[in-house]
Amino acid sequence: MASTETSTYDPRKAEWEGISIEKWEAAKWKQWKAKHPATDDLAKIEREYLRIKHSVQVANSALSLERVKVKIKLTSAKSIGLQGTFPCKVGDVGKNGSLNKQYTISLGFTANDVGLKAAVAKARELDLLLITKQFQWTPELLGKQNQNSQSKLLVGVNQSEKLIKELIQEYEQEFWKTHIKNRQGLRTWDSHYLRHLKKLPPDMPLNLESLEAALEKTKPNTSSRFFLSWQLKKFCDFCGFDGVKTVDSYATPKPHPAIRRIPHDEEIIQGFELIGTPLSAFASKDNITFPEQWQWAYGMLATYGLRPHELFAIDLDAFTASENTFHLLRLNPSLTEGTKTGERNCGVPPIHPHWVKLFDLQNVKPPTIGGTLSNQTAKLQIRFRNVNLDFRPYDLRHAFAIRGHRLQVPIKTMADYMGHTVQEHTRTYQRWMSEDANLEIYKEVVINRMGASKEVMKEKIRELEAENLALRGENEALKGILRQHQLGEF
């Protein structure tokens, strides 16, 4: 086997007979891949990793007996570090404002017997410094990367040569190193990063005043304040600026989402007529969407529980095909350039099949909405608002989920229909189950079933009573025959 392959091989990703190497008992390192040839170089690397891992466990047990609080840790397959609770570095704050914080220190010890002995000796040394309160962060302990960030912090928290707009440009360049520059990536940058960073004054250096100016643009106990605080911490960390205490002084918990009012099926049917309200005589005829097109879009959202943007990812040829007797709906993720649409692995059936005919969905009339995908979904939202519907497009999706629960569709099946995991389905959609919806499900599942059982029992009782009456008549007839027989003999 090539030496380059063995030198770059990471044994921590190894598996044997379905068991991950990280779940293997390190003490049994000799038994790892015992059936493989002894010349298997990768197996040797994996066994050596397990042997060192076991040696680290033994060393930590010995340190615990000595009451040494600094422990040994395998930071990678080839290096050993130290882990413990130390005084906070400059700019750091411990949990709940503590002056101490847990750190993993990498000192370049190789993952072999010699490196392990050196790490044990260093652990005892650092523990003694902590006990005698003589511990200090030296360049050796900080490492090269942390030395640079610490030196920036020590210069002064209010000093920064670059303007915020320049720092944001550098931050964006760093962002694209770990993200694909497609529609979804651009949306993530705009919605989760730039949206919040725009609140910072662009022509000022990054300092405490600029952070406070941004934070004061949001209200306490709002989602805006929560996500702005989260993003500013990340931005300050990237810039090597100590602004954590200032951001934390403004930070408030993420509020719970307001309870939605999910429309009932009767309201949805009424809404179909409402969204077909005739257009104004003064409406622009350029790129116009007609009432019947709005109704078709509305009917598809209501019948199949689509996300609003998925309306533009429907495989219309498959939907209108003659062999599609169950009116299954399939989505083509390529039409929306990659979104959550791709998570569905099955066709979506209408939970109310009669709605396909009621809303005339087979007569395809897709809306002609121009612009980007975000603009198209926004115009759909505007149409709902303009015709005074009491709910939003996404509420039709929530109603679809509740409808499935009411009709006792299994949760796993509903999760597949809606394009997400069972955990997300339970967490997200059952939250919108109102008291009325829960009561309705209780009536259908429990009360109606009990009512049906009572009717069956009553019918059974009536049959038994009739049978009992017939047996009594037969018994009386037999008694009469017996009496006549006895009198005849007499």
Side-chain angles (χ1 to χ4, degrees):
M1 183 172 293
S3 60
T4 55
E5 185 177 349
T6 55
S7 62
T8 58
Y9 178 64
D10 187 356
R12 294 176 298 176
K13 298 179 181 179
E15 287 187 0
W16 181 40
E17 295 184 350
I19 302 175
S20 167
I21 194 170
E22 296 297 344
K23 294 183 179 180
W24 188 270
E25 188 178 345
K28 298 180 180 179
W29 61 272
K30 291 183 180 180
Q31 301 175 24
W32 176 261
K33 290 192 175 181
K35 296 180 181 179
H36 284 231
T39 57
D40 188 340
D41 293 335
L42 297 185
K44 288 181 180 179
I45 294 172
E46 292 161 6
R47 282 196 292 269
E48 178 62 16
Y49 169 71
L50 284 171
R51 187 185 72 82
I52 292 298
K53 187 177 180 180
H54 175 59
S55 299
V56 168
Q57 293 174 355
V58 173
N60 280 330
S61 298
L63 291 173
S64 296
L65 291 174
E66 298 174 19
R67 296 186 180 180
V68 175
K69 294 184 179 180
V70 181
K71 303 301 181 192
I72 314 298
K73 180 181 179 181
L74 270 175
T75 53
S76 73
K78 297 182 179 180
S79 60
I80 296 175
L82 303 176
Q83 188 176 61
T85 301
F86 301 94
C88 291
K89 299 176 184 178
V90 177
D92 276 0
V93 180
K95 191 175 182 181
N96 298 325
S98 172
L99 298 177
N100 298 314
K101 187 177 178 180
Q102 188 179 76
Y103 292 97
T104 298
I105 301 174
S106 180
L107 296 172
F109 297 130
T110 306
N112 55 27
D113 294 331
V114 176
L116 182 59
K117 289 180 181 179
V120 170
K122 193 65 177 180
R124 291 193 179 104
E125 177 188 333
L126 294 181
D127 185 68
L128 181 61
L129 292 174
L130 290 172
I131 292 173
T132 58
K133 297 184 179 181
Q134 296 180 21
F135 177 86
Q136 291 184 348
W137 286 104
T138 62
E140 176 195 16
L141 298 176
L142 288 171
K144 291 182 180 179
Q145 184 177 359
N146 285 326
Q147 282 180 41
N148 294 332
S149 61
Q150 290 292 299
S151 61
K152 288 181 182 179
L153 293 172
L154 291 171
V155 169
V157 294
N158 289 324
Q159 295 181 5
S160 177
E161 296 179 359
K162 296 182 179 179
L163 299 179
I164 288 175
K165 60 183 179 183
E166 297 172 333
L167 293 171
I168 291 177
Q169 291 175 354
E170 295 178 4
Y171 191 39
E172 183 179 4
Q173 293 174 2
E174 190 69 20
F175 173 84
W176 291 121
K177 290 180 181 179
T178 55
H179 293 76
I180 300 174
K181 204 166 188 177
N182 56 10
R183 191 192 69 82
Q184 189 66 23
L186 290 168
R187 184 178 179 182
T188 300
W189 167 254
D190 290 337
S191 301
H192 299 289
Y193 288 78
L194 188 59
R195 172 188 173 188
H196 304 294
L197 297 176
K198 279 182 177 179
K199 293 182 172 64
L200 290 166
D203 297 319
M204 284 181 61
L206 183 60
N207 52 35
L208 300 181
E209 289 75 15
S210 60
L211 291 177
E212 290 179 347
L215 289 162
E216 288 174 356
K217 291 179 181 179
T218 59
K219 295 180 180 179
N221 299 308
T222 60
S223 295
S224 298
R225 173 67 64 84
F226 175 83
F227 288 110
L228 175 62
S229 302
W230 167 77
Q231 187 53 245
L232 288 180
K233 287 181 181 179
K234 293 185 65 175
F235 185 60
C236 288
D237 182 62
F238 168 78
C239 299
F241 179 76
D242 181 19
V244 175
K245 289 184 179 179
T246 300
V247 175
D248 282 342
S249 66
Y250 281 86
T252 55
K254 182 181 179 182
H256 294 293
I259 298 298
R260 293 177 183 259
R261 195 194 70 79
I262 309 302
H264 299 291
D265 289 350
E266 295 78 10
E267 294 177 275
I268 293 174
I269 294 173
Q270 293 170 6
F272 178 80
E273 299 298 331
L274 191 58
I275 203 168
T277 302
L279 298 173
S280 167
F282 302 100
S284 172
K285 297 299 183 291
D286 298 329
N287 195 29
I288 194 169
T289 300
F290 293 97
E292 58 270 19
Q293 292 177 300
W294 288 122
Q295 286 183 317
W296 185 84
Y298 177 97
M300 294 299 290
L301 294 176
T303 306
Y304 292 97
L306 300 176
R307 301 178 178 96
H309 77 266
E310 291 174 342
L311 184 66
F312 308 97
I314 298 173
D315 189 339
L316 295 175
D317 292 335
F319 180 65
T320 56
S322 57
E323 60 270 17
N324 187 18
T325 54
F326 292 102
H327 306 299
L328 296 181
L329 181 142
R330 297 187 182 277
L331 302 170
N332 183 357
S334 63
L335 297 177
T336 52
E337 300 180 13
T339 64
K340 286 186 176 179
T341 303
E343 294 177 5
R344 283 183 177 83
N345 55 11
C346 64
V348 183
I351 291 185
H352 279 342
H354 64 279
W355 278 12
V356 176
K357 185 175 181 180
L358 178 66
F359 297 147
D360 194 21
L361 300 182
Q362 285 290 299
N363 184 13
V364 176
K365 297 182 286 290
T368 54
I369 307 174
T372 64
L373 186 63
S374 297
N375 289 339
Q376 290 173 327
T377 54
K379 288 176 183 177
L380 189 64
Q381 178 87 19
I382 292 170
R383 177 65 180 179
F384 271 62
R385 188 167 61 246
N386 287 346
V387 298
N388 297 319
L389 282 170
D390 292 335
F391 47 87
R392 294 171 287 182
Y394 219 96
D395 293 339
L396 295 174
R397 179 169 167 82
H398 295 310
F400 179 84
I402 293 173
R403 190 177 308 124
H405 286 292
R406 192 170 65 244
L407 298 177
Q408 302 179 57
V409 178
I411 290 179
K412 175 63 171 67
T413 304
M414 281 303 302
D416 290 340
Y417 290 164
M418 303 193 70
H420 45 57
T421 64
V422 173
Q423 292 79 8
E424 183 182 354
H425 181 79
T426 305
R427 182 181 66 251
T428 303
Y429 289 95
Q430 288 195 346
R431 184 174 68 220
W432 307 124
M433 299 285 280
S434 65
E435 183 178 351
D436 292 338
N438 282 319
L439 183 59
E440 188 175 350
I441 292 174
Y442 174 75
K443 288 177 180 178
E444 291 189 11
V445 176
V446 180
I447 300 298
N448 291 347
R449 183 181 297 170
M450 288 180 61
S453 300
K454 287 180 180 178
E455 291 299 323
V456 171
M457 292 297 295
K458 288 179 180 178
E459 183 63 27
K460 188 68 175 176
I461 290 172
R462 284 194 290 270
E463 291 177 0
L464 290 173
E465 287 178 345
E467 185 178 350
N468 188 35
L469 187 61
L471 289 173
R472 284 182 181 177
E474 185 178 350
N475 189 33
E476 290 297 330
L478 290 172
K479 286 181 180 179
I481 293 172
L482 180 61
R483 284 196 295 269
Q484 290 176 4
H485 182 67
Q486 291 173 344
L487 289 173
E489 288 183 350
F490 179 73

PDB file of all heavy atoms in Angstrom, residues 354-368:
ATOM      1  N   HIS A 354     -61.670  14.338  -3.041  1.00  0.00           N
ATOM      2  CA  HIS A 354     -62.735  15.056  -3.732  1.00  0.00           C
ATOM      3  C   HIS A 354     -62.376  16.509  -3.987  1.00  0.00           C
ATOM      4  O   HIS A 354     -63.008  17.177  -4.813  1.00  0.00           O
ATOM      5  CB  HIS A 354     -64.050  14.955  -2.941  1.00  0.00           C
ATOM      6  CG  HIS A 354     -63.994  15.611  -1.593  1.00  0.00           C
ATOM      7  ND1 HIS A 354     -63.429  14.993  -0.490  1.00  0.00           N
ATOM      8  CD2 HIS A 354     -64.432  16.826  -1.167  1.00  0.00           C
ATOM      9  CE1 HIS A 354     -63.526  15.802   0.555  1.00  0.00           C
ATOM     10  NE2 HIS A 354     -64.120  16.911   0.173  1.00  0.00           N
ATOM     11  N   TRP A 355     -61.351  17.031  -3.293  1.00  0.00           N
ATOM     12  CA  TRP A 355     -60.937  18.415  -3.527  1.00  0.00           C
ATOM     13  C   TRP A 355     -60.310  18.581  -4.904  1.00  0.00           C
ATOM     14  O   TRP A 355     -60.294  19.689  -5.443  1.00  0.00           O
ATOM     15  CB  TRP A 355     -59.964  18.860  -2.432  1.00  0.00           C
ATOM     16  CG  TRP A 355     -60.656  19.294  -1.168  1.00  0.00           C
ATOM     17  CD1 TRP A 355     -61.964  19.102  -0.859  1.00  0.00           C
ATOM     18  CD2 TRP A 355     -60.070  19.983  -0.067  1.00  0.00           C
ATOM     19  NE1 TRP A 355     -62.240  19.621   0.391  1.00  0.00           N
ATOM     20  CE2 TRP A 355     -61.101  20.173   0.899  1.00  0.00           C
ATOM     21  CE3 TRP A 355     -58.806  20.445   0.210  1.00  0.00           C
ATOM     22  CZ2 TRP A 355     -60.871  20.811   2.101  1.00  0.00           C
ATOM     23  CZ3 TRP A 355     -58.573  21.094   1.420  1.00  0.00           C
ATOM     24  CH2 TRP A 355     -59.603  21.275   2.360  1.00  0.00           C
ATOM     25  N   VAL A 356     -59.737  17.505  -5.469  1.00  0.00           N
ATOM     26  CA  VAL A 356     -59.151  17.595  -6.809  1.00  0.00           C
ATOM     27  C   VAL A 356     -60.219  18.022  -7.813  1.00  0.00           C
ATOM     28  O   VAL A 356     -59.983  18.879  -8.674  1.00  0.00           O
ATOM     29  CB  VAL A 356     -58.521  16.249  -7.217  1.00  0.00           C
ATOM     30  CG1 VAL A 356     -58.000  16.305  -8.646  1.00  0.00           C
ATOM     31  CG2 VAL A 356     -57.391  15.879  -6.258  1.00  0.00           C
ATOM     32  N   LYS A 357     -61.407  17.423  -7.687  1.00  0.00           N
ATOM     33  CA  LYS A 357     -62.510  17.791  -8.574  1.00  0.00           C
ATOM     34  C   LYS A 357     -63.154  19.095  -8.137  1.00  0.00           C
ATOM     35  O   LYS A 357     -63.518  19.933  -8.977  1.00  0.00           O
ATOM     36  CB  LYS A 357     -63.546  16.663  -8.580  1.00  0.00           C
ATOM     37  CG  LYS A 357     -64.677  16.885  -9.571  1.00  0.00           C
ATOM     38  CD  LYS A 357     -65.616  15.686  -9.616  1.00  0.00           C
ATOM     39  CE  LYS A 357     -66.730  15.907 -10.629  1.00  0.00           C
ATOM     40  NZ  LYS A 357     -67.657  14.750 -10.675  1.00  0.00           N
ATOM     41  N   LEU A 358     -63.292  19.283  -6.825  1.00  0.00           N
ATOM     42  CA  LEU A 358     -63.934  20.493  -6.310  1.00  0.00           C
ATOM     43  C   LEU A 358     -63.194  21.743  -6.752  1.00  0.00           C
ATOM     44  O   LEU A 358     -63.807  22.748  -7.152  1.00  0.00           O
ATOM     45  CB  LEU A 358     -63.994  20.433  -4.776  1.00  0.00           C
ATOM     46  CG  LEU A 358     -64.597  21.645  -4.067  1.00  0.00           C
ATOM     47  CD1 LEU A 358     -66.079  21.768  -4.406  1.00  0.00           C
ATOM     48  CD2 LEU A 358     -64.403  21.534  -2.559  1.00  0.00           C
ATOM     49  N   PHE A 359     -61.846  21.700  -6.707  1.00  0.00           N
ATOM     50  CA  PHE A 359     -61.038  22.859  -7.081  1.00  0.00           C
ATOM     51  C   PHE A 359     -60.586  22.807  -8.548  1.00  0.00           C
ATOM     52  O   PHE A 359     -59.800  23.663  -8.968  1.00  0.00           O
ATOM     53  CB  PHE A 359     -59.803  22.949  -6.177  1.00  0.00           C
ATOM     54  CG  PHE A 359     -60.114  23.162  -4.718  1.00  0.00           C
ATOM     55  CD1 PHE A 359     -59.304  22.609  -3.726  1.00  0.00           C
ATOM     56  CD2 PHE A 359     -61.224  23.885  -4.316  1.00  0.00           C
ATOM     57  CE1 PHE A 359     -59.575  22.802  -2.379  1.00  0.00           C
ATOM     58  CE2 PHE A 359     -61.515  24.079  -2.979  1.00  0.00           C
ATOM     59  CZ  PHE A 359     -60.691  23.531  -2.002  1.00  0.00           C
ATOM     60  N   ASP A 360     -61.047  21.774  -9.291  1.00  0.00           N
ATOM     61  CA  ASP A 360     -60.733  21.643 -10.718  1.00  0.00           C
ATOM     62  C   ASP A 360     -59.225  21.677 -10.958  1.00  0.00           C
ATOM     63  O   ASP A 360     -58.716  22.404 -11.822  1.00  0.00           O
ATOM     64  CB  ASP A 360     -61.419  22.768 -11.508  1.00  0.00           C
ATOM     65  CG  ASP A 360     -61.425  22.489 -13.010  1.00  0.00           C
ATOM     66  OD1 ASP A 360     -61.270  21.303 -13.387  1.00  0.00           O
ATOM     67  OD2 ASP A 360     -61.550  23.451 -13.788  1.00  0.00           O
ATOM     68  N   LEU A 361     -58.489  20.872 -10.199  1.00  0.00           N
ATOM     69  CA  LEU A 361     -57.028  20.921 -10.256  1.00  0.00           C
ATOM     70  C   LEU A 361     -56.458  20.239 -11.490  1.00  0.00           C
ATOM     71  O   LEU A 361     -55.339  20.556 -11.902  1.00  0.00           O
ATOM     72  CB  LEU A 361     -56.446  20.285  -8.981  1.00  0.00           C
ATOM     73  CG  LEU A 361     -56.848  20.949  -7.661  1.00  0.00           C
ATOM     74  CD1 LEU A 361     -56.167  20.252  -6.482  1.00  0.00           C
ATOM     75  CD2 LEU A 361     -56.485  22.431  -7.668  1.00  0.00           C
ATOM     76  N   GLN A 362     -57.219  19.279 -12.070  1.00  0.00           N
ATOM     77  CA  GLN A 362     -56.717  18.617 -13.278  1.00  0.00           C
ATOM     78  C   GLN A 362     -56.705  19.570 -14.474  1.00  0.00           C
ATOM     79  O   GLN A 362     -55.973  19.362 -15.428  1.00  0.00           O
ATOM     80  CB  GLN A 362     -57.586  17.397 -13.589  1.00  0.00           C
ATOM     81  CG  GLN A 362     -57.347  16.209 -12.676  1.00  0.00           C
ATOM     82  CD  GLN A 362     -55.990  15.553 -12.920  1.00  0.00           C
ATOM     83  OE1 GLN A 362     -55.721  15.064 -14.008  1.00  0.00           O
ATOM     84  NE2 GLN A 362     -55.141  15.539 -11.913  1.00  0.00           N
ATOM     85  N   ASN A 363     -57.511  20.610 -14.407  1.00  0.00           N
ATOM     86  CA  ASN A 363     -57.492  21.666 -15.430  1.00  0.00           C
ATOM     87  C   ASN A 363     -56.407  22.668 -15.036  1.00  0.00           C
ATOM     88  O   ASN A 363     -56.668  23.682 -14.401  1.00  0.00           O
ATOM     89  CB  ASN A 363     -58.859  22.330 -15.518  1.00  0.00           C
ATOM     90  CG  ASN A 363     -58.923  23.364 -16.623  1.00  0.00           C
ATOM     91  OD1 ASN A 363     -58.043  23.443 -17.478  1.00  0.00           O
ATOM     92  ND2 ASN A 363     -59.961  24.182 -16.594  1.00  0.00           N
ATOM     93  N   VAL A 364     -55.169  22.339 -15.402  1.00  0.00           N
ATOM     94  CA  VAL A 364     -54.002  23.067 -14.892  1.00  0.00           C
ATOM     95  C   VAL A 364     -53.992  24.506 -15.393  1.00  0.00           C
ATOM     96  O   VAL A 364     -54.057  24.768 -16.604  1.00  0.00           O
ATOM     97  CB  VAL A 364     -52.700  22.356 -15.306  1.00  0.00           C
ATOM     98  CG1 VAL A 364     -51.490  23.153 -14.871  1.00  0.00           C
ATOM     99  CG2 VAL A 364     -52.665  20.954 -14.703  1.00  0.00           C
ATOM    100  N   LYS A 365     -53.916  25.439 -14.445  1.00  0.00           N
ATOM    101  CA  LYS A 365     -53.836  26.860 -14.764  1.00  0.00           C
ATOM    102  C   LYS A 365     -52.784  27.505 -13.847  1.00  0.00           C
ATOM    103  O   LYS A 365     -53.126  28.221 -12.903  1.00  0.00           O
ATOM    104  CB  LYS A 365     -55.202  27.532 -14.575  1.00  0.00           C
ATOM    105  CG  LYS A 365     -56.289  27.002 -15.501  1.00  0.00           C
ATOM    106  CD  LYS A 365     -57.596  27.728 -15.319  1.00  0.00           C
ATOM    107  CE  LYS A 365     -58.291  27.321 -14.034  1.00  0.00           C
ATOM    108  NZ  LYS A 365     -58.811  25.961 -14.075  1.00  0.00           N
ATOM    109  N   PRO A 366     -51.484  27.230 -14.056  1.00  0.00           N
ATOM    110  CA  PRO A 366     -50.447  27.781 -13.170  1.00  0.00           C
ATOM    111  C   PRO A 366     -50.399  29.302 -13.255  1.00  0.00           C
ATOM    112  O   PRO A 366     -50.612  29.877 -14.326  1.00  0.00           O
ATOM    113  CB  PRO A 366     -49.159  27.149 -13.700  1.00  0.00           C
ATOM    114  CG  PRO A 366     -49.448  26.805 -15.119  1.00  0.00           C
ATOM    115  CD  PRO A 366     -50.902  26.466 -15.164  1.00  0.00           C
ATOM    116  N   PRO A 367     -50.128  29.957 -12.144  1.00  0.00           N
ATOM    117  CA  PRO A 367     -50.061  31.422 -12.153  1.00  0.00           C
ATOM    118  C   PRO A 367     -48.857  31.926 -12.927  1.00  0.00           C
ATOM    119  O   PRO A 367     -47.780  31.339 -12.879  1.00  0.00           O
ATOM    120  CB  PRO A 367     -49.961  31.780 -10.664  1.00  0.00           C
ATOM    121  CG  PRO A 367     -49.390  30.563 -10.025  1.00  0.00           C
ATOM    122  CD  PRO A 367     -49.888  29.391 -10.813  1.00  0.00           C
ATOM    123  N   THR A 368     -49.043  33.011 -13.662  1.00  0.00           N
ATOM    124  CA  THR A 368     -47.944  33.628 -14.409  1.00  0.00           C
ATOM    125  C   THR A 368     -47.381  34.775 -13.582  1.00  0.00           C
ATOM    126  O   THR A 368     -47.729  35.937 -13.775  1.00  0.00           O
ATOM    127  CB  THR A 368     -48.445  34.140 -15.760  1.00  0.00           C
ATOM    128  OG1 THR A 368     -49.570  34.999 -15.534  1.00  0.00           O
ATOM    129  CG2 THR A 368     -48.863  33.001 -16.657  1.00  0.00           C
TER     130      THR A 368
END
